């Protein structure tokens, strides 16, 4: 069976990987001349199902827990399993209690343990929540690694060219926000981020800073670089980062550590993330096309589960065909 995957964001590449290792002949098309630089390129890359459960459905936790192992297997060496540290200024301690009441998988940590976990935060926060089983990765490195692995597996990529979908038995559409307006109830949610560079701060894990109005996070990348994000704005306008968001990001970074005030702003970015009304991704079918969409802010966390579900549909179809052809003595694998 030949299957065409449309899109080279995180949903498309994870789907292609699951299909290819299931023995399906896979080709991937991308409307741009190079792999996608959409919302996946600007993602935080936090594999944090327990933290995300605080503001999301239980499915985010149950489906997301396997993501760390999946990414470890698919992109060896890129997952950092140092957990997540959630903190708040002393005046907002009630936010920590509220956060804790809506999730699990954490332990309370005091000032001394915060200093043990993150020496550069010594004396800055009196208490926090430590989610030891969570992790993170660099989305750009992960997407590049997965792309290279797919090429090595024999997956063919069509970049910046039109592909005749009629020559494929199945199409898996992972076109993200491009499908807004085509898939019922799918909307776009804008996210913004920036990168800071400084050698004055060292962090080993994502730091989530709670705030009554706009909780933000700081994710370490390579030494001396940090990703700060991310807003959730109900609009499909990509545009440039807003002044309000820039101020919120910089204020949050400064609240985590004053040395961020002297950091260089080396990049800003925005992306439109597709979402359904319940903010959970869905795998749907329309004829021979399977749609994977609606990951909202959970792209790297939930794409592996969505990819497995879509691959299961394709392989089930293949299994039925195999049974039918075996019964007639005519079957052979496509």
């Amino acid at each position: 069976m030949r299957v065409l995957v449309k899109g080279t964001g995180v949903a498309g590449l994870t789907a292609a990987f699951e299909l290819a290792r299931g023995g399906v002949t896979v080709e991937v098309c991308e409307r741009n001349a190079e792999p996608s630089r959409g919302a996946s390129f600007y993602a935080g890359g936090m594999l944090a199902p327990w933290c995300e459960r605080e503001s999301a459905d239980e499915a985010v936790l149950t489906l997301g827990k396997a993501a760390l192992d999946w990414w470890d297997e698919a992109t060896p060496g890129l997952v950092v399993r140092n957990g997540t540290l959630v903190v708040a200024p002393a005046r907002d301690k009630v936010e920590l209690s509220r956060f804790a009441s809506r999730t699990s998988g954490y332990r309370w940590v005091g000032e001394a343990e915060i200093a043990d976990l993150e020496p550069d935060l010594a004396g800055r926060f009196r208490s926090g929540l430590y989610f030891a089983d969570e992790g993170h990765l660099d989305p750009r490195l992960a997407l590049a690694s997965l792309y290279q692995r797919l090429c090595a597996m024999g997956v063919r990529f069509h970049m910046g060219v039109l592909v005749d979908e009629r020559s494929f038995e199945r199409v898996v559409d992972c076109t993200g926000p491009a499908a807004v307006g085509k898939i019922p109830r799918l909307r776009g949610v804008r996210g913004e981020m920036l990168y800071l560079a400084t050698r004055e701060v060292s962090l080993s894990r994502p730091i989530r800073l709670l705030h009554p109005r706009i909780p933000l996070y700081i994710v370490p990348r390579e030494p001396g670089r940090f990703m700060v994000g991310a807003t959730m704005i109900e609009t499909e306008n990509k545009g440039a980062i807003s002044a309000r968001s820039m101020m919120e990001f910089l204020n949050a970074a400064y609240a985590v550590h004053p040395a961020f005030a002297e950091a260089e702003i080396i990049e800003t970015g925005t992306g439109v993330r597709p979402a359904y009304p319940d903010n959970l991704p869905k795998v749907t079918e329309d004829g021979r096309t399977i749609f994977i969409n609606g990951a909202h802010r959970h792209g790297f966390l939930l794409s592996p589960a969505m990819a497995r579900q879509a691959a299961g549909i394709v392989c089930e179809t293949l299994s039925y065909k195999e049974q039918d052809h075996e019964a007639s003595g005519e079957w052979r694998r496509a």
Side-chain angles (χ1 to χ4, degrees):
M1 174 181 285
R2 294 177 68 229
V3 175
L4 177 67
V5 175
K6 297 173 64 177
T8 56
V10 64
L13 294 185
T14 52
F17 184 77
E18 282 295 317
L19 289 164
R21 71 174 177 177
V24 176
T25 300
V26 182
E27 298 185 31
V28 181
C29 69
E30 167 62 46
R31 62 181 178 177
N32 299 307
E34 58 183 15
S36 175
R37 293 175 65 93
S40 299
F41 188 78
Y42 297 109
M46 294 182 294
L47 305 177
W50 288 273
C51 278
E52 290 301 314
R53 176 65 181 94
E54 178 269 338
S55 59
D57 191 271
E58 178 69 20
V60 170
L61 175 59
T62 56
L63 295 175
K65 285 191 291 187
L68 282 90
D69 289 340
W70 192 96
W71 284 107
D72 243 347
E73 179 186 357
T75 60
L78 294 186
V79 176
V80 180
R81 295 175 180 258
N82 286 343
T84 303
L85 180 60
V86 181
V87 296
R91 68 178 182 276
D92 296 324
K93 186 178 178 180
V94 65
E95 293 298 312
L96 278 175
S97 297
R98 181 197 60 79
F99 194 100
S101 70
R102 300 180 65 174
T103 188
S104 60
Y106 63 87
R107 72 170 186 267
W108 283 92
V109 291
E111 191 170 348
E113 190 168 2
I114 291 174
D116 288 339
L117 291 168
E118 296 290 357
D120 280 9
L121 300 188
R124 300 207 51 78
F125 301 97
R126 295 177 184 173
S127 60
L129 304 172
Y130 178 48
F131 294 79
D133 294 327
E134 296 188 337
H136 69 283
L137 49 69
D138 185 327
R140 299 177 184 184
L141 296 180
L143 291 174
S145 176
L146 197 52
Y147 172 77
Q148 293 297 329
R149 186 161 182 191
L150 286 167
C151 290
M153 295 168 70
V155 173
R156 183 181 177 190
F157 283 81
H158 306 272
M159 311 301 294
V161 296
L162 295 176
V163 176
D164 185 359
E165 298 180 16
R166 296 172 298 179
S167 63
F168 295 87
E169 295 171 78
R170 279 283 203 171
V171 175
V172 181
D173 189 308
C174 305
T175 53
V180 172
K182 301 176 183 178
I183 298 178
R185 302 186 302 150
L186 192 69
R187 74 189 195 281
V189 180
R190 170 186 164 113
E192 302 165 311
M193 53 72 70
L194 60 82
Y195 271 86
L196 297 177
T198 176
R199 291 287 181 174
E200 300 302 314
V201 182
S202 177
L203 298 174
S204 300
R205 56 188 55 77
I207 307 298
R208 293 186 181 231
L209 180 71
L210 301 185
H211 184 281
R213 187 172 67 258
I214 179 169
L216 298 172
Y217 55 76
I218 300 176
V219 187
R221 295 294 192 231
E222 64 267 33
R225 289 196 175 193
F226 305 87
M227 184 269 200
V228 185
T231 51
M232 291 183 290
I233 303 170
E234 293 289 337
T235 178
E236 294 163 20
N237 175 30
K238 188 176 180 180
I241 190 170
S242 68
R244 178 191 297 273
S245 296
M246 179 73 81
M247 289 188 291
E248 294 282 4
F249 290 159
L250 296 177
N251 285 336
Y254 182 81
V256 170
H257 199 292
F260 279 120
E262 303 301 323
E264 295 180 13
I265 301 173
I266 58 175
E267 181 184 344
T268 65
T270 63
V272 175
R273 300 168 293 193
Y276 288 104
D278 61 2
N279 294 330
L280 291 174
K282 291 177 175 53
V283 177
T284 58
E285 295 184 76
D286 183 5
R288 64 192 184 89
T289 300
I290 300 170
F291 295 91
I292 304 177
N293 218 316
H296 193 233
R297 57 182 286 169
H298 310 302
F300 281 81
L301 183 63
L302 296 186
S303 283
M306 298 301 100
R308 288 193 297 267
Q309 185 176 338
I313 294 172
V314 171
C315 292
E316 183 179 31
T317 301
L318 181 60
S319 177
Y320 285 144
K321 286 189 175 184
E322 181 175 333
Q323 292 171 17
D324 291 343
H325 286 291
E326 282 182 332
S328 64
E330 298 174 353
W331 178 83
R332 67 179 180 86
R333 196 176 185 92

